[in-house]
């Protein structure tokens, strides 16, 4: 194994952030550095910075998530940000949504190994599961797609007055401006940029928050949601 693929020791901040789940966070980091790299879920160059750039960067998203809500992590990939969030917030009910089989297999293994009973893995695309999964309070995502496309996938999965929290980088403000018209059509009523992780990560993690009104997804998805609900009722009667 090359030096670039060696996992560094966990920083002291990780002990503070993950608390009683610190050992599980270490095991998850090891799985990412080993099986995650071998299966092509994460690049070998990312291993030396797994803690700061990935696990801690995702774990501090918890600062923006309300207590006791349902969460859907769209395009969860190797479990970022969903699994770090699950490790620090056992009060959440989290769904990891991912279309690729090799990734969902990895996610299922991690969830079972770490005993994350409040996490469910679902294979599928966001546009395919609307109406099949219960609407959630919060949608999370990281490095999935530009904000306008991400919103088109994630916002329709929300409950009325829910919110999407997207971890973004330096382009967050530009993406938010570019997506403003699309967000309005999707039922967004408020947007903001948050910086979380003070004292944990440097630079701070940047989060785009999109809050929706009573019709997540806008008019276009209201009919789809109603049709899915009718189909679900018909199936239950049978």
């Amino acid at each position: 194994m090359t030096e670039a693929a060696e996992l560094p020791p966990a920083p002291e901040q990780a002990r503070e952030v993950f608390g009683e789940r610190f050992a599980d966070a270490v095991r998850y980091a090891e799985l990412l550095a080993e099986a995650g790299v071998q299966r092509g879920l994460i690049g070998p160059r990312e291993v030396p910075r797994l803690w700061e750039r990935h696990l801690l960067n995702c774990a501090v998203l918890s600062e923006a998530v309300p207590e006791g809500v349902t969460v859907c992590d769209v395009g969860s990939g190797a479990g970022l940000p969903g699994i770090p969030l699950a490790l620090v917030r056992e009060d959440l009910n989290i769904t990891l949504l991912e279309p690729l089989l090799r990734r969902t297999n990895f996610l299922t293994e991690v969830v079972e190994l770490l005993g994350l009973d409040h996490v469910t893995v679902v294979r599928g695309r966001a546009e395919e599961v609307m109406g099949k999964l219960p609407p959630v309070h919060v949608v999370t995502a990281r490095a999935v797609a530009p904000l306008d496309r991400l919103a088109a996938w994630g916002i329709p999965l929300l409950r009325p007055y829910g919110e999407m929290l997207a971890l973004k980088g330096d382009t967050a403000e530009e993406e938010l401006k570019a997506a403003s018209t699309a967000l309005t059509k999707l039922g967004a009523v408020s947007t903001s940029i948050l910086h979380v992780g003070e004292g944990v990560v440097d630079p701070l993690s940047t989060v785009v928050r999109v809050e929706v009104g009573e019709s997540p997804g806008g008019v276009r998805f209201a009919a789809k949601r109603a049709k899915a609900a009718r189909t679900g009722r018909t199936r239950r009667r049978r």
Side-chain angles (χ1 to χ4, degrees), residues 8-167:
E12 194 58 36
Q13 296 94 318
R15 291 183 180 274
E16 299 172 11
V17 170
F18 291 104
E20 294 180 357
R21 284 284 196 169
F22 173 69
D24 290 327
V26 171
R27 186 67 188 115
Y28 176 50
E30 292 170 346
L31 289 167
L32 286 174
E34 297 162 6
V37 171
Q38 292 166 6
R39 300 186 194 182
L41 305 183
I42 192 166
R45 293 183 180 180
E46 296 302 311
V47 173
R49 50 187 184 178
L50 268 178
W51 285 106
E52 288 82 1
R53 185 181 175 94
H54 298 285
L55 274 74
L56 289 173
N57 179 271
C58 290
V60 297
L61 179 62
S62 65
E63 296 176 22
V65 181
E67 290 186 14
V69 298
T70 52
V71 178
C72 182
D73 188 31
V74 173
S76 195
L80 301 165
I83 288 178
L85 184 61
L87 288 170
V88 297
R89 294 287 300 276
E90 295 192 27
D91 60 300
L92 305 175
N93 188 327
I94 299 176
T95 298
L96 306 179
L97 181 63
E98 169 57 48
L100 295 184
L101 180 61
R102 61 188 172 91
R103 293 177 180 169
T104 54
N105 285 343
F106 176 79
L107 293 173
T108 300
E109 292 167 17
V110 171
V111 166
E112 292 177 355
L113 182 65
L114 302 185
L116 298 174
D117 297 333
H118 57 307
V119 178
T120 303
V121 178
V122 174
R123 185 185 176 198
R125 299 183 183 278
E127 58 268 35
E128 297 169 347
V129 301
M130 191 185 71
K132 299 176 183 177
L133 293 180
V136 296
H137 297 93
V138 177
V139 162
T140 60
R142 178 179 186 254
V144 174
L147 189 60
D148 54 349
R149 270 195 287 150
L150 174 60
W153 299 333
I155 286 180
L157 301 178
L158 289 170
R159 294 170 49 143
Y161 307 104
E163 60 185 343
M164 183 178 74
L165 299 172
L167 278 163

Side-chain angles (χ1 to χ4, degrees), residues 177-202:
K177 288 179 181 177
S180 60
T181 300
L183 293 174
T184 300
K185 290 180 179 178
L186 288 165
V189 296
S190 176
T191 61
S192 55
I193 295 178
L194 313 176
H195 299 284
V196 296
E198 183 72 43
V200 178
V201 290
D202 184 18

